[in-house]
Amino acid sequence: MKFNKLRTKIFTMLLLFSSHSNAFIVDKMVIISDEKGNGIITLTNDEKVPLFINAKIEEINIENYKVINKKEYGRENLSDWKISLTHQKLILKPGESKDIGIRSLCHNTSCDNSHDLMFSLPFLPSPYRPDGVEGSGMDINFGFSPVYIIPTDNPVYDYDINRTESEIIIRNKSNTIINVLVNGCNTGASKASCKQKYIVVAGREKSFSLPDAVANNDLDITVTSHDRKYKKKLLLKGNL
């Protein structure tokens, strides 16, 4: 399914790993909260059978640009929760879509707003049996883990962007997420192969393979914030 492949391709450009799934669809893989820290994600069942969806919340912290630490929310750390979901367990009928609300709990607990707050939201589907019981563990399909971000109110932008002949390396030293548009188009190149957009969260370093069509080209780089209030351009020379 083209839609699922597109979602998977986009998410492989991010900080985490997401398993491909044909069982259901999430409408976005990166959710930026509103000013109050709240958001919505929509799940759709594209299977011919009902699905039981089990959702989890994992708070993310990144060390040394590479190590991703996850703190799973549960009853034992309820007082530390910074967000909650309106539905952590739900049933989707064939073809049905449902909105899942994401609510900030920062009015109840201490939240450090000096940097983006980041969360992984694993949604794990399994077949739903007619007797009202979720499918067994053997039936569970791989799901999606969208990233939820509550942006800092005081963004500071700092990053390194370098290249080799085959890769572009982005180290986001900012306290917030950045979008990086890479344009290596010339008069003979197809726009589909010479333009790429990458998303790199705060404190993360990622390397991305450059298409063969732009391996030796100059690269025009545009860095923007999630809300487009910040924008900066730079040039990476080709023919290395």
Side-chain angles (χ1 to χ4, degrees), residues 2-20:
K2 292 183 178 179
F3 188 82
N4 279 352
K5 290 180 179 178
L6 175 61
R7 295 298 181 208
T8 303
K9 181 178 180 183
I10 291 173
F11 198 51
T12 56
M13 298 178 181
L14 305 177
L15 82 164
L16 300 175
F17 301 99
S18 176
S19 301
H20 180 70

Side-chain angles (χ1 to χ4, degrees), residues 124-151:
L124 303 175
S126 60
Y128 187 76
R129 299 206 303 260
D131 57 7
V133 180
E134 62 177 291
S136 68
M138 296 296 292
D139 296 324
I140 293 177
N141 297 301
F142 290 108
F144 288 103
S145 294
V147 175
Y148 186 68
I149 296 176
I150 301 178

Side-chain angles (χ1 to χ4, degrees), residues 29-174:
M29 293 303 297
V30 179
I31 308 106
I32 305 295
S33 77
D34 61 19
E35 294 180 354
K36 295 183 178 180
N38 302 324
I40 294 176
I41 187 169
T42 303
L43 308 183
T44 301
N45 180 8
D46 64 351
E47 287 286 289
K48 296 181 180 180
V49 297
L51 290 177
F52 177 87
I53 309 295
N54 186 38
K56 297 181 180 180
I57 303 173
E58 298 169 337
E59 187 174 335
I60 298 171
N61 286 288
I62 300 173
E63 292 182 20
N64 300 319
Y65 298 101
K66 296 289 186 180
V67 180
I68 300 171
N69 296 316
K70 298 180 182 179
K71 174 184 176 182
E72 184 173 342
Y73 284 2
R75 292 183 178 179
E76 70 282 357
N77 57 16
L78 189 61
S79 61
D80 296 332
W81 287 28
K82 296 179 176 65
I83 62 169
S84 65
L85 303 177
T86 54
H87 304 284
Q88 284 201 243
K89 294 184 178 182
L90 67 152
I91 299 166
L92 286 177
K93 299 176 183 177
E96 184 179 19
S97 296
K98 284 188 178 180
D99 291 338
I100 308 297
I102 308 164
R103 299 290 178 259
S104 170
L105 300 177
C106 288
H107 58 282
N108 291 331
T109 188
S110 176
C111 293
D112 182 2
N113 190 245
S114 65
H115 55 82
D116 288 358
L117 298 177
M118 297 181 289
F119 308 87
S120 174
L121 304 177
F123 291 98
L124 303 175
S126 60
Y128 187 76
R129 299 206 303 260
D131 57 7
V133 180
E134 62 177 291
S136 68
M138 296 296 292
D139 296 324
I140 293 177
N141 297 301
F142 290 108
F144 288 103
S145 294
V147 175
Y148 186 68
I149 296 176
I150 301 178
T152 176
D153 292 333
N154 301 293
V156 178
Y157 298 96
D158 185 12
Y159 44 83
D160 294 327
I161 302 177
N162 298 292
R163 66 168 295 179
T164 65
E165 186 175 308
S166 59
E167 288 186 327
I168 183 167
I169 303 99
I170 305 169
R171 172 174 282 198
N172 185 9
K173 299 184 288 184
S174 312

